Amino acid sequence: MTERKGTEIRVRGQVQGVGFRPFVWRLARDRGLRGWVLNDAAGVLIRIWGETAGFTEALRDEAPPLARIDRIETREVTENPPDGFEIRASEGGAADTRVTPDAATCPDCLAEIRAPGRRHGYAFTNCTHCGPRFSILRGLPYDRAQTTMAGFALCPACRAEYDDPADRRFHAQPVACPACGPRLWFEADGVELSGDPVALAVAALKRGEIVAVKGLGGFHLACDARDPAAVGRLRARKHRPAKPFALMAREADLDRLVRVTPADLAALRSPAAPVVLMPARGTLPGVVAPGIDTLGVMLPYTPLHHLLLDAFGGVLVMTSGNLSGEPQVIDNAEARAKLAPFADGFLIHDRDIARRLDDSVLRCDPPMVLRHARGRVPGVIDLPEGFADAPEVLATGAQMKGAICLIRHGQAMLSHYLGDLDDPLCLSEFERAIADYRALFAHRTSHVAVDAHPGYRASQIGRDIAGREGLPVTEVWHHHAHMAACMAENGWPLRGGKVAGIVLDGTGLGPDGTLWGGELLLGDYHAARRIAHLAPAPLPGGDRAAREPWRNAVMRLDQAGLALPEPLAALPVQVIRAAARAGLNAPLSSSAGRLFDAAAAIIGLCVQAQSYEGEAAMRLEALAGTAREAAEVEDQTDGPQIDPAPMLRMLCGPAPAAERARAVHLWLAQAFARRARKLIETGAAQAVALSGGCFQNALLLRLTLTELSGLRVLIHRETPANDGGLALGQALIASAQSM
Amino acid sequence: MALRDDKVTLAHGGGGKAMRDLIEEVFTSVFQPPGMEDQARLQAEALAEPGARLAFTTDGFVVTPVEFPGGDIGTLAVCGTVNDLAVGGARPLWLSAAFIIEEGTEVALLRRIVTSMAREAEAAGVRIVTGDTKVVGRGACDKVFVTTAGVGVIPPGRDMAAARVRPGDVALVNGVLGDHGAALLAARGDLALSTELESDCAALGHLMEAILAAAPNARAARDLTRGGLASALNEIAEAAGCGIELDETALPLRAEVTGMCELLGLDPLYLANEGRLVVFVPPEEAAAALAAMRTRPEGEGAAIIGTATPEHPGQVRMRTGFGGARIVDMLVGEQLPRIC
Ligand SMILES: [Fe+3]
Ligand SMILES: [Mg+2]
Ligand SMILES: [Zn+2]
Ligand SMILES: [Zn+2]
């Protein structure tokens, strides 16, 4: 009778399409267990009979690299076991399981393409531990027929691997080889050239040409990063004068380019293979990242990248293949049409990209995610305690760095980066993504959360959806959402007490009708109130003030009663002063981002215009990084209005520019940290949350953390502090308010 | 001269002799309405044509300052109503004019306004046939408000309507955009802007006749007033159920206006105009329409600026210089910054 007693194990999480069943199969066989394993709508279901001690621990400890286990539940069963251990056919739909993010080529596959054999030099080699997933997925359940591999029929050799539970390609949906899989070629002027495509591309790159490379989530434009003329040409063609370019380099070349920490290396080598920002060693031409002291580097993450880098032997600029502001190109015909003015040649293939995914960008010290995209999506965040019964919310995020968030079954799913919604193509992509994510996750939306700004397209789209489907809409204040996103990421419980939120940001609409952005808030998921803020100043010219730092400098200096330094005085300051006085397109704002812009302009950085978003602040941060200490700023009182006049007086003073730049960071960190500390000391708040786009500034974040030492501080590690993470906060606030 | 006062007083609105003097001296002597009755009695031969339709419109005018480079509130009051009739395909015939006058307004100012109106009306081929004046206390209005109503006739067979615009149709404007809005901003005086800009204020009836003679199948036209070209195009896209695509490089813009817009963070596509229209014609009539517009002084700067498209119905997009595109929205209230 005893052998009829068995254990049923339910495994939830990201456990399908990652080789979990063969892993269980091997584990059970090694231990001589009887039973079976199958995929079903809830994840993986296992029944085992025999010596089961330590089995669930092994499930967790030895799980395949791409598996993410959320929960393991066990119960006893009594029935006759099968003779051995078997993998059974899948049951039911895949409604509650996870789609896996795309993953960088694994060591086994890499070894395979480098060694003699049938996949030698094959650019589309993959297995259950690596390869394309979300980027080739057309629908659920995840099997080959539902991916862009559907048109490639497996050859007998690949079929045998696919069917063999002992093979690492068992049920690897994109499995392929040169006999049956996608084909790579190189073309120029619309004509395919004969010869080894990788060798042709390398020859073009060596000639200083620009090559469009079809990657995982879209096309890149590549050129030799060590060739200033080639990089300059790419800048001129892309109309991108200064924005830093991302790089792709082999691990062996990293040390020459950047200072790499073990944490950086771990991030670079992770299956997500993001772009990691690291301190530059100054060995590349300045034109790669003008005026910035960091470089963003990623490792080759597809077999094609490995083949290309191995043959090229250098470092490549790998920037997204798009017209400025538009989404990255993914389709071959679209690439030929749109990238022809940029690219001299195309390294291209016939595996379609189903989903447009930019490269993710992050920094390890201090930890932050700047762009949440390829390799990180679709990932989920477990909701904090108290949100188990949260309704199925759809949150539509902000205008810039579009991203949506869905809540379902106690988890939040933050979408990939969808670009700035002013661009019509980004906007249609955004609308498609909403439909796509809702369908993929079988979301039965019951609430819609939007930013309170009536002019955000994301808010309009959210309202339209709610209107069409008869759903309630929750309007969320921008900076409350930033703060809530940070709390949520850190698992702050629904009833965890109040948090002091230091939200340093660009601009977002505040409840008083002015634009906020330099705020100390106190609150929870339900509500937050303003405790302190930067004294507001006009933004003359509205959004123009975000592009032209001099406007903010003039307003701030006027406010502080300081004279304009030479380069500012020569600009048409009378007109913007008059416009501000007349209230003509000069809304008031407490934005910290605009104060950074003002400071940069006073020091002489990006005075007239920024060529990309954040340029002035990034240059100011880079300059500050060269200073040992900060210039002195006189003391000030602790009122609810934080008056930047003392800091501005310092900026107009005689200290070296780098020390003044550093003092701007320190002053902001101290002004907010001091007030936040008081909220903790008086018992009003239990922790401090740091959020908003300004906290992408590593120096500001580091200094703020130092000022808050000894206190419980919540920071963004897994979701962007910028507007790309806003939807998460919106979703949590809407949930809290509806429960 | 019977009118001795140089400023309007409440007595001028009292209904007695002072009022009669003001009306006769300042208004009727200039407008010369037919007969002395309190209503205009008009010959309706134009309407007798079978299939002809009557067009009737009204508009109120308030503007600060009342006089500005290139015109005054009187010019606006005539041109605005004439243009509303003209863009609907009507031949403007008669106008009414009602004045709300603030106590203390200079009589000389009223005379200048009325003279402007008479001159504009004559040039546009319309007659001001009836009117009214009221005087209100200080602060109850700003110097003078004018309301005009206009009657015109749409000849048989003409049917201009935004809903008739279809994909492929070509959009034209008759000249540089935003002069009126920019000139007014500069004339407000508090912006420390000195410009040579003048309002584009003009009556467009003759221009419309010229367009319709050259492009008899013209679908729809709109005068570009408040909200500028952007608002007019959004209305048309919405009504027609098609998209509209503009070519940024083709838009007639004056460097002075774009420069001023850049400084103030405004978009010339949203600036007010008072003598500009957009007209949609079938592609085969576009060249003729353009040539016809250019034969008239109000159409000297005419240009083809875009087309109606089957894509993105209801939405206006602009192809920018670098091959990108942006959405040109309907303006919702004041534009708050969105860059975070
Ligand atoms: Fe923000
Ligand atoms: Mg009107
Ligand atoms: Zn692999
Ligand atoms: Zn094969």
Side-chain angles (χ1 to χ4, degrees), chain A residues 258-320:
Chain A
V258 284
R259 292 205 303 275
V260 193
T261 66
D264 292 330
L265 204 53
L268 286 161
R269 286 173 176 166
S270 70
V275 173
V276 178
L277 302 186
M278 293 165 285
R281 289 203 191 273
T283 50
L284 285 183
V287 63
V288 171
I292 304 297
D293 58 351
T294 57
L295 287 176
V297 190
M298 58 190 153
L299 297 179
Y301 57 82
T302 68
L304 174 56
H305 293 148
H306 282 287
L307 294 169
L308 187 63
L309 269 284
D310 283 352
F312 181 66
V315 181
L316 291 176
V317 162
M318 285 289 249
T319 187
S320 55

Side-chain angles (χ1 to χ4, degrees), chain A residues 104-110 125-131 168-169:
Chain A
T105 307
C106 74
D108 288 340
C109 285
L110 185 56
T125 304
N126 64 79
C127 71
T128 47
H129 308 319
C130 74
R168 77 173 204 285
R169 293 204 167 87

